[in-house]
Amino acid sequence: MDIDPERFDDPNRLAAFIDALRWGAITSADDGTVQAPFRSGANVEPYQLTPLKRALASPRANLLLADDVGLGKTIEAGLVIQELLLRHRARTVLVVCPAGLAFKWQDEMQEKFGLDFTVVNSETMKDVRRSHGVHANPFTLFPRIIVSMAWLPGQRAQRLLRAAFADTTQRFAFDILVVDEAHHVAPSSPVRTNKVGQERRGYAVDSQRTRAVREIAERSEHRLFLSATPHNGYTESFTALLEMIDPQRFVRGNKIDPVALDEVAVRRLKSDLKEAKGFVERKVSQLPYTPTAGESAAYDRLLAFTQRRDKAVATDDGSRSARDMATLLLKKRFFSSPVAFARTIDVYRDTRTRGLDLEFDLDYDEIFGPDSDDLEEGKVDQPELEALREAKSSLPPLTEEDVADLDWLSEWGHRFDGRPDSRLEALLSYVEGTLRSHGDWSNERLVIFTEYVDTLRWVRDILRQQGYEDDRVEIIDGGTEAETRELIRARFNENPAKTSVRILLATDAAGEGIDLQNHCHRLINFDIPFNPNRLEQRIGRVDRYGQTRAPDIRHFAPVTGGESALSKDVDLLARVAVKIDQIMRDLGSANEIIAPDLQRQFGGEVLKSRRAQAEKDPIAGMMGGEKVLNAELARLEQNLAESRERLHLRPENLQRVVETAFELNHLPPLELVGSEDTDVPVFRLPNLDNSWEQVTRGLYTRLDEKKTKPRPISFDPQVLKEDPEVVYMHLGSPLLQRSTRRLRSALWGGDRALERVTATVVPGLEESYAVAVTRLVLVGRAGLRLHEEVFLAGTRLARRQAVGEHRAEELLESALDRADLVGVAPAFAAQIAAAWNTERDDGLRARVQQAIGDRAARRRRDVEAHLVDRRETDRARVHEIFDRFRQTLRGALREAEVMDGDPQLTLFEDERRQSERDLREIRRRIDALDEERDRELTAVDTRYDDIRTWEFPAAVIFALAPHDVENGLAIR
């Protein structure tokens, strides 16, 4: 192709096109250079790259992301999703999460990664049918979707999933499955209690949720399960969860391959990263109060009642260890609030005295059972409540003395309707002294957690009586709609100068997945859950990455010297809260250590403590976290910096690409507006036409429902740390995606305004060069893109000698990354064009073409050799995994057969069916193992078969040395 000396491109403008070309070149062959961190609006920390590195090193990304609460598991999952999409290893993504987190996931993926996800539920199904017809199936219609755990097992969802499975001819229906708060899909804890609360070891039984997620997992190629608390203390439940994540490494039962667990699980604790990443030490302290004489008397009367009931149950059953499970529930409610206690007393009394089993079932189901959210008041994590429902009228009848106590206790509790008890009085004093001064609100904020909705509403009503305006107090409980929950979260996280909310009242429905650390570091536990994992989830709302102040965590404790039973038991709970905090920091999990102790203390041997040695290896090692070395973090940080340099991701380059795209589409330029909180350049987008309107989506917050106030933007990642009101424009943002696509389209589409040739003077250059920018693509079977890169090859102008590869790369950096590139005089352009247009075998054009061919051949050989090595590595990995798994299966089979043949092991019918299914599945897996391994090997070979190569020259750059410009340019 001849070049016209009068049509040389402006070097700054052509540099933008080359940047866009380079950023679109993604390789699957090179695991060292990643792009996902640069296509993220998150402030990515080096430790968050570990899951990404591990995912890229494996043929299939199956990971348990079990980092401590608040370390950014959603960001880690987003990085893996983004990178697999970029590398063409995935196209479809399905996220399964608790209902309250669906819109949070949607917002995070859009704001942090520029990825659009569709939330699918009963409401959105109506919209889908209106827009796409009554037979539309969202599981095949949308490439990236989010569904809730509650909706997934339902008939409609299952019918749509079965149709989606039937419609695909591929082995997998989904490329990536993400399960957030994955402990909710593990089988229920294998503990059963009889009618009077005696425990016996049971067999973990799949729930509908477990079966629904397992079926999807089996049809998904890559699986990312997220949970800071994946282990509930029972190996059987944990291995069932691991089997869903990677069925070629784990099998349900008591056997865990420690090597496989190390490969699949990623867990770091905040304590291990505190020094390296500046996590602020939390402070757990007491909020003192003095129980009144009336409260102590009521608790004494409750204790007398529960002791009589436990004695009656034990006598009736003939066992000293038997207990009325209601006694534990009543104590738990007493420790929450008088009104919660009174309501439970009423339900219990009516159930026991009037035979109102149906009414009691309704109350139980609504609060604890199948009709409630699993996040609300702990059905999953409080097995004694299940036993309470099963016991009912089978217990000994109440005596007259029992009924009299219940009547008295009910009347006592209801006296607090509309008035505070001693703890709430202490809370009000704390609020007045911390959040308010002489009736005026400060900018401090506070989160108050309780287990029970009754308590939450009582606290809210008392706050209103104190004159606290509704806009100062927000509420999140299990019944809060997902979109409303996100609006509340946004208001609470907004700058206190902009929103009036100061107090957030929440049940444990807000304890998972919601971030509240932006402008809040204070949290009060109004009651102490018996499940330590729940307590840590609560604290993790403010003690998480991004918190700049020491988290101030408070719980109630009686003033020293209280001798009443109430003071002693509340003091015990206060000390347990401190103990839980320390254990969670040291070991990462306190559930199996603390929970049985609490249940024994308040319920009288309700659950026996499990033997610790059965749980220590290798699960305890995993839960204790990986020891993160500063040197390792430094290496990851260095790798990230090198990747940024290699991709030329300077803020000026990003800005240049956007400005060039605007110019091509005749749009107004960016407006420099600046910011008081940062020195980096901050811009406002101009008014855009309809074709560009979608790039503004991430500029509006949920609070700006009418979309009237787009936030300003910046191309410098430093803004993430300095001004949260400015939106960082990363490669994955809609603006950069649209701009780079526009420039690549113009580059390859023969845009008349682009000649793809430029010449510029490069300060400091000793010789002048001609360098061609070339795109190299390697494609495997079925068009799978294995490798793509942009390289440079060229020749010296004054000598017939090619430019070395490293020298050519340096030329691009020095010639195109400058912000003040200038073109050359017309005389030099004419001289260059004449030399280029000469049809000689050793002419300038021929030498550049030869350099392109030589460099392409070398790169092709290098990449193909690397792909061969990668294939052999992947094959060896498959053999290693299956050899180890064969041993795991054999061990599991021996255990299952022993259990199946044990005549003394009494299982409920559902347990027996589950164990028989599991035994059949283990035998089937063993019989099919060789076939399964061969299928995996074939999949590996197919990925690297039939490799074809293409080269696409994109542009030519003439880089002139100042010496040649001054003394005359020599071209041979």
Side-chain angles (χ1 to χ4, degrees), residues 283-553:
K283 181 182 179 183
V284 177
S285 57
Q286 298 178 349
L287 187 61
Y289 82 106
T290 303
T292 66
E295 291 165 358
S296 296
Y299 190 64
D300 289 341
R301 194 147 184 172
L302 173 63
L303 288 182
F305 167 79
T306 58
Q307 289 164 3
R308 281 199 314 274
R309 287 300 300 162
D310 289 341
K311 183 177 180 180
V313 171
T315 301
D316 184 71
D317 185 70
S319 169
R320 295 181 61 189
S321 64
R323 293 290 182 272
D324 182 345
M325 295 296 290
T327 62
L328 179 62
L329 175 59
L330 293 176
K331 290 177 184 177
K332 285 179 93 274
R333 287 273 183 145
F334 192 99
F335 292 132
S336 184
S337 69
V339 294
F341 172 69
R343 182 166 182 240
T344 308
I345 285 284
D346 292 345
V347 173
Y348 178 76
R349 180 190 56 197
D350 292 345
T351 302
R352 307 300 302 135
T353 60
R354 304 180 192 175
L356 301 179
D357 291 345
L358 179 60
E359 181 179 338
F360 185 84
D361 279 349
L362 285 174
D363 176 79
Y364 177 89
D365 285 345
E366 289 168 0
I367 300 175
F368 307 114
D371 296 336
S372 70
D373 192 306
D374 275 349
L375 298 177
E376 190 71 68
E377 301 178 347
K379 173 183 181 290
V380 168
D381 293 319
Q382 295 171 351
E384 73 273 8
L385 300 180
E386 180 69 22
L388 175 63
R389 181 174 66 162
E390 293 174 355
K392 291 190 303 185
S393 57
S394 59
L395 292 169
L398 298 175
T399 66
E400 290 184 6
E401 187 177 10
D402 292 337
V403 175
D405 279 347
L406 292 174
D407 289 341
W408 187 93
L409 289 168
S410 172
E411 182 184 353
W412 172 83
H414 282 300
R415 288 181 207 151
F416 289 90
D417 286 330
R419 71 183 183 91
D421 68 352
S422 56
R423 286 187 306 144
L424 189 45
E425 290 279 12
L427 174 63
L428 291 172
S429 297
Y430 176 84
V431 170
E432 287 297 324
T434 306
L435 274 66
R436 286 162 58 92
S437 176
H438 305 292
D440 295 326
W441 291 91
S442 69
N443 283 339
E444 294 289 332
R445 281 183 170 146
L446 171 67
V447 183
I448 302 172
F449 268 110
T450 175
E451 280 197 283
Y452 300 111
V453 174
D454 295 335
T455 301
L456 178 143
R457 291 172 179 166
W458 172 64
V459 173
R460 176 201 61 190
D461 292 343
I462 298 300
L463 293 179
R464 285 176 175 171
Q465 287 181 14
Q466 296 294 312
Y468 296 176
E469 304 91 336
D470 286 350
D471 62 346
R472 297 293 183 179
V473 182
E474 295 279 12
I475 290 176
I476 295 179
D477 60 35
T480 306
E481 293 290 336
E483 290 195 70
T484 302
R485 169 192 167 108
E486 284 305 294
L487 283 172
I488 293 171
R489 182 180 71 90
R491 283 195 289 268
F492 196 79
N493 280 334
E494 183 59 271
N495 189 315
K498 296 184 177 181
T499 57
S500 57
V501 60
R502 292 297 183 269
I503 298 173
L504 176 62
L505 292 173
T507 63
D508 289 309
E512 289 183 318
I514 191 168
D515 310 339
L516 303 173
Q517 79 279 15
N518 285 10
H519 297 281
C520 178
H521 70 287
R522 301 182 187 276
L523 183 145
I524 291 178
N525 289 298
F526 202 85
D527 45 35
I528 304 295
F530 283 14
N531 181 341
N533 288 342
R534 285 186 178 274
L535 187 60
E536 184 63 17
Q537 284 283 358
R538 291 179 178 183
I539 296 172
R541 298 315 97 212
V542 297
D543 183 9
R544 58 193 305 110
Y545 179 80
Q547 178 61 266
T548 58
R549 301 174 67 181
D552 183 359
I553 313 302

Side-chain angles (χ1 to χ4, degrees), residues 761-962:
V761 181
V762 181
L765 203 61
E766 296 178 357
E767 288 187 88
S768 298
Y769 301 87
V771 179
V773 181
T774 304
R775 177 175 173 234
L776 175 69
V777 181
L778 277 74
V779 178
R781 186 179 296 183
L784 178 65
R785 195 175 305 174
L786 296 173
H787 178 76
E788 183 176 354
E789 68 175 83
V790 174
F791 68 82
L792 295 102
T795 182
R796 292 168 170 82
L797 294 184
R799 294 183 289 160
R800 294 189 177 94
Q801 183 178 359
V803 184
E805 295 179 12
H806 295 298
R807 182 57 177 159
E809 187 66 34
E810 291 173 3
L811 279 173
L812 182 65
E813 291 177 2
S814 60
L816 297 184
D817 280 353
R818 299 175 62 91
D820 56 349
L821 296 174
V822 295
V824 298
F828 287 113
Q831 183 183 1
I832 291 169
W836 179 267
N837 295 336
T838 300
E839 297 288 345
R840 284 172 31 198
D841 292 342
D842 60 350
L844 183 58
R845 187 195 314 187
R847 299 206 310 271
V848 171
Q849 290 173 339
Q850 181 65 41
I852 293 172
D854 293 345
R855 175 75 188 277
R858 285 196 303 273
R859 289 300 300 142
R860 184 168 57 248
R861 288 194 298 270
D862 291 345
V863 174
E864 288 177 348
H866 180 81
L867 291 173
V868 169
D869 290 343
R870 179 65 187 265
R871 179 176 63 184
E872 293 307 311
T873 299
D874 288 352
R875 286 181 60 87
R877 195 94 178 98
V878 170
H879 281 292
E880 177 189 350
I881 289 170
F882 275 85
D883 288 346
R884 293 188 66 88
F885 188 52
R886 191 184 302 277
Q887 300 304 315
T888 301
L889 278 174
R890 288 171 177 169
L893 178 62
R894 286 191 295 270
E895 279 200 357
E897 288 176 338
V898 168
M899 178 181 288
D900 187 58
D902 186 353
Q904 296 184 356
L905 183 63
T906 57
L907 299 178
F908 287 109
E909 184 58 30
D910 59 341
E911 296 174 324
R912 174 67 65 186
R913 288 196 300 269
Q914 184 71 57
S915 70
E916 290 173 351
R917 279 198 300 269
D918 291 344
L919 178 57
R920 288 195 301 270
E921 179 63 13
I922 292 172
R923 288 169 173 162
R924 186 196 68 77
R925 292 295 305 278
I926 290 176
D927 292 341
L929 200 60
D930 289 339
E931 181 182 343
E932 191 175 345
R933 179 201 59 206
D934 292 342
R935 186 166 64 243
E936 290 298 317
L937 291 171
T938 300
V940 170
D941 291 339
T942 300
R943 178 177 173 80
Y944 299 106
D945 274 354
D946 192 21
I947 297 176
R948 290 164 290 165
T949 308
W950 285 276
E951 299 109 34
F952 305 94
V956 177
I957 304 161
F958 298 96
L960 306 187

Side-chain angles (χ1 to χ4, degrees), residues 670-676 680-685 712-713 726:
L670 297 169
E671 179 186 356
L672 182 64
V673 294
S675 165
E676 295 181 356
V680 304
V682 173
F683 304 90
R684 180 181 292 120
L685 282 182
I713 66 170
V726 177

Side-chain angles (χ1 to χ4, degrees), residues 21-31 33-36 39 52 55-56 58-61 79-93 115 144 170 172 174-176 221-222 737 741 744 775-789 870 939 942-944:
L21 179 66
R22 183 165 41 210
W23 297 336
I26 309 295
T27 177
S28 291
D30 179 12
D31 295 338
T33 301
V34 293
Q35 279 220 23
R39 296 175 184 265
L52 176 59
L56 295 181
S58 304
R60 190 163 293 131
L79 290 170
V80 175
I81 293 169
Q82 183 78 285
E83 194 72 32
L84 292 178
L85 292 173
L86 289 170
R87 291 171 179 249
H88 307 284
R89 290 179 59 182
R91 188 187 70 86
T92 59
V93 186
L115 297 174
R144 296 185 291 271
Q170 304 297 318
F172 300 109
F174 302 102
D175 296 325
I176 304 174
E221 183 170 10
H222 308 286
Q737 289 189 59
R741 282 198 304 268
R744 286 196 293 268
R775 177 175 173 234
L776 175 69
V777 181
L778 277 74
V779 178
R781 186 179 296 183
L784 178 65
R785 195 175 305 174
L786 296 173
H787 178 76
E788 183 176 354
E789 68 175 83
R870 179 65 187 265
T942 300
R943 178 177 173 80
Y944 299 106

